[in-house]
Amino acid sequence: MNRRNFLAKLTHFFSLALGALIALPVFRFLLESLKEQSDSSWVSISSADANIATDEFVQISFKRLVQNGWTRQLVEELVWVRKKADGSFIVFNPHCTHLGCAFGWNSNSKEFQCPCHGGKFDRDGKRIAGPPPRPLDRYETKVENNVLKIGKLMKA
């Protein structure tokens, strides 16, 4: 091996090593983000036997791990939960579909009422009055090992 071939092979080796050093963090970042999406798609919010009366809404707070860029933090969130007669659950996002104000459940009139612009929704989340353009957003739900879990937010 002459000097020219040796330097060419050495240059190729260092080029490959430099490319691997740059590519490894990128692959790790992509793999971690895919793994987190699959693991964190369901969040436990309550026991399925908790104090949730059938056909009444209860506001439940829970903590969700939120990744914002490179930082992760536990964020407390609220949802409205109703246990149906068949034992399944309906879970609503607590923000009005008009401008995102927090709405409340009025147990006397059996409707959700948004205090910002007068939006009203029935117990199934359908719009019955006011400016909201669509029904309430609800989460996918499942009960696993007697724990109520929510998944993706489904916009109507």
Side-chain angles (χ1 to χ4, degrees):
M1 176 182 299
N2 63 21
R3 183 174 155 195
R4 182 174 296 247
N5 288 340
F6 174 74
L7 290 176
K9 288 187 179 198
L10 191 64
T11 302
H12 288 282
F13 172 76
F14 282 116
S15 297
L16 286 173
L18 183 63
L21 285 174
I22 292 171
L24 281 177
V26 172
F27 286 124
R28 182 173 173 238
F29 173 77
L30 293 174
L31 290 176
E32 288 291 322
S33 66
L34 290 175
K35 178 182 170 189
E36 287 173 7
Q37 285 177 357
S38 63
D39 290 346
S40 64
S41 60
W42 292 96
V43 177
S44 302
I45 62 168
S46 171
S47 168
D49 294 336
N51 244 353
I52 303 172
T54 303
D55 277 346
E56 281 298 320
F57 280 95
V58 177
Q59 193 169 35
I60 294 179
S61 69
F62 65 100
K63 292 188 179 186
R64 179 191 301 258
L65 182 64
V66 175
Q67 181 162 0
N68 189 5
W70 298 100
T71 63
R72 293 181 185 178
Q73 60 185 154
L74 280 175
V75 176
E76 186 169 351
E77 296 183 14
L78 298 170
V79 290
W80 284 101
V81 178
R82 184 181 94 188
K83 186 175 186 178
K84 297 189 332 188
D86 64 356
S88 62
F89 291 89
I90 295 177
V91 179
F92 289 116
N93 180 356
H95 301 289
C96 180
T97 55
H98 178 224
L99 292 178
C101 296
F103 57 80
W105 171 249
N106 186 331
S107 58
N108 294 330
S109 62
K110 302 287 185 196
E111 61 190 19
F112 288 105
Q113 297 174 344
C114 179
C116 293
H117 300 101
K120 293 181 180 180
F121 303 90
D122 68 6
R123 58 188 306 112
D124 294 322
K126 294 177 187 165
R127 186 186 78 84
I128 54 177
R134 55 186 165 80
L136 293 176
D137 298 331
R138 63 173 66 188
Y139 287 96
E140 291 179 320
T141 62
K142 71 176 180 180
V143 176
E144 195 173 86
N145 296 328
N146 206 28
V147 174
L148 175 60
K149 296 181 176 186
I150 58 172
K152 292 179 184 176
L153 182 64
M154 300 180 298
K155 298 190 178 209

